[in-house]
Structure formats: C-alpha cells, structure tokens
Amino acid sequence: SDPPSPHSPSNGSSRQLSVDEMYLADTGGQYLDGTTDITRTVHWGVPTPLQKEAYTRVLMGNIDLARLIFPPNTAGGMVESFARRALWDVGLNYGHGTGHGIGNFLSVHEWPVGFQSSNVPLAAGMFTSIEPGYYQDGEFGIRIEDIALVVEAQTEEEPFLTFEVVSLVPYDRNLIDLSLLSPQQIQYLNTYYETIRARVGPELQRQQLAEAYSWLQRNTEP
C-alpha cells in the first residue's frame, strides 16, 4: 500500500497543539471569483520576547512593502528589500521569495508576477502575494501573507503605483510589540482594521455568525 501523505493526519504524526507555541496557518481556496492564499501566525499563550519581536518585524516588512509608492514599470525585485528591512535591522532574514503572482481561479503561484529578478515589471491590475517571514529551525516559524492588487497611487505628477491589500484577516494582537511600530505603520493598521470591519462585519451579521462577529470586533479594535 502507498505510504500516508505528509499532509494526511495519522496517529503516528499527529500531536496536540498547546497554548505555549506558535501556530502558522497557510490557507487558501479556489472560488469562482478568485483564488486566495493567506497566511497568519498566532500564539494563544505568552510568546517569548524573540517571538514577539520577530513577528512584529515581519509585520513591519509586510506593511512597508504594502504601503510603498513606486514608479510605473518598477521591477518587483527592486522593491523586495522593503519587506526585509525591519528584519535586517536586527540581523534577521528569511530564505524564501517575498511574493508570487496569483491567478484568478487558476494557479495559486502564477508566473510571471512577483518580486524576483526574473519577474516582469509591476503594473496596475496585477495580483501578487506579500509574504515576509522568519523561521527558527525546530523552534517556531512566522509568515504573514496577504494578497495585494497593484493600483495607481494618488501622486501629484504622473501616476505612480502602490498596493491595495485585498486579504481581509486581522493580524495577531498578542504578538505585536507596538513600541517598534512607527506612527505611519500604526495608522496603516488602523485603516486596514476599519476596512475589515466595514467589509467583513456586515457579511458575518448577514449569516448570523455572532461568535465570529464578536471575534472580528475584538481583533479589529484601533
């Protein structure tokens, strides 16, 4: 018989999750109106100072790239380091790409969009993931992945470009060290949380999902 898939649960490989560890969930689905690829990292207990700082710096990189304003025809590889800078500041890094194109009911990793040197220049209308991370072998892993749409930025002269994050899932407040964030990063978070409340909240109410709605309200407070 075939060996069990590494992605199938079994009594040999399963273990109970505890509140004393980080939990990384890389999720996604195919829908008729689009494809999702969203990663969130959570800690249900008391994170260590390193876990909290590493998570916060991954989030800072995610925000710094998402709110970047850049000229048209900029290659993704040129702006990729914005997602790493907050980690580089303290000698941390991650060993994978910062993002990939995503198809509309097609491939989750869709060439040729992304942040590698071999990807095409970014243009309005493209969808890409933004997914910095940090990993300690055998200890914990952090990734924060959103899908973003390349859009025109409101600039004085010729239109520049920026990103509009379309994944509407709160980040883990338990892991954010607010003292590391700049006022601009906090403002970005608050605007993002307002968007989540406005778009997801009414749908949860429509479906009468009271528990999910109250969770959303708690996790999108300013």
Side-chain angles (χ1 to χ4, degrees), residues 69-75 121-124 150 152 155 158-162:
I69 294 171
F70 52 92
N73 290 316
T74 297
L122 296 163
V150 182
E152 286 195 355
T155 43
E158 60 170 311
F160 272 43
L161 298 173
T162 189

Side-chain angles (χ1 to χ4, degrees), residues 207-218:
Q207 295 188 30
Q208 300 182 322
L209 296 169
E211 190 180 348
Y213 181 77
S214 80
W215 179 91
L216 189 80
Q217 294 298 107
R218 285 197 310 277

Side-chain angles (χ1 to χ4, degrees), residues 128-160:
T128 180
S129 70
I130 295 177
E131 50 179 299
Y134 176 71
Y135 312 89
Q136 269 211 332
D137 281 357
E139 296 293 324
F140 63 87
I142 300 164
R143 191 183 310 148
I144 302 173
E145 176 184 22
D146 291 307
I147 301 303
L149 171 63
V150 182
V151 295
E152 286 195 355
Q154 303 310 307
T155 43
E156 310 242 337
E157 299 293 325
E158 60 170 311
F160 272 43

Side-chain angles (χ1 to χ4, degrees), residues 34-198:
T35 298
T36 66
D37 191 9
I38 305 171
T39 304
R40 289 293 181 266
T41 306
V42 297
H43 196 304
W44 296 309
V46 181
T48 67
L50 173 62
Q51 288 173 335
K52 198 162 179 175
E53 176 168 2
Y55 179 93
T56 304
R57 290 185 179 277
V58 170
L59 179 62
M60 290 161 71
N62 181 299
I63 292 172
D64 287 347
L65 184 51
R67 61 185 289 270
L68 186 69
I69 294 171
F70 52 92
N73 290 316
T74 297
M78 242 179 111
V79 298
E80 194 257 6
S81 56
F82 281 89
R84 298 179 185 266
R85 187 177 64 177
L87 288 163
W88 285 355
D89 280 345
V90 291
L92 304 179
N93 203 7
Y94 55 92
H96 58 72
T98 293
H100 54 80
I102 187 159
N104 180 11
F105 202 51
L106 290 164
S107 302
V108 178
H109 291 203
E110 188 176 68
W111 196 258
V113 179
F115 295 101
Q116 293 172 300
S117 57
S118 51
N119 290 127
V120 296
L122 296 163
M126 292 177 173
F127 283 93
T128 180
S129 70
I130 295 177
E131 50 179 299
Y134 176 71
Y135 312 89
Q136 269 211 332
D137 281 357
E139 296 293 324
F140 63 87
I142 300 164
R143 191 183 310 148
I144 302 173
E145 176 184 22
D146 291 307
I147 301 303
L149 171 63
V150 182
V151 295
E152 286 195 355
Q154 303 310 307
T155 43
E156 310 242 337
E157 299 293 325
E158 60 170 311
F160 272 43
L161 298 173
T162 189
F163 296 104
E164 178 192 342
V165 171
V166 296
S167 309
L168 302 176
V169 184
Y171 306 116
D172 187 4
R173 304 174 87 86
N174 190 28
L175 281 163
I176 299 174
D177 180 351
L178 280 177
S179 70
L180 293 175
L181 300 185
S182 69
Q184 293 87 352
Q185 289 166 336
I186 291 172
Q187 177 59 51
Y188 173 94
L189 271 183
N190 285 335
T191 302
Y192 179 58
Y193 285 161
E194 283 168 19
T195 303
I196 295 174
R197 275 192 176 185

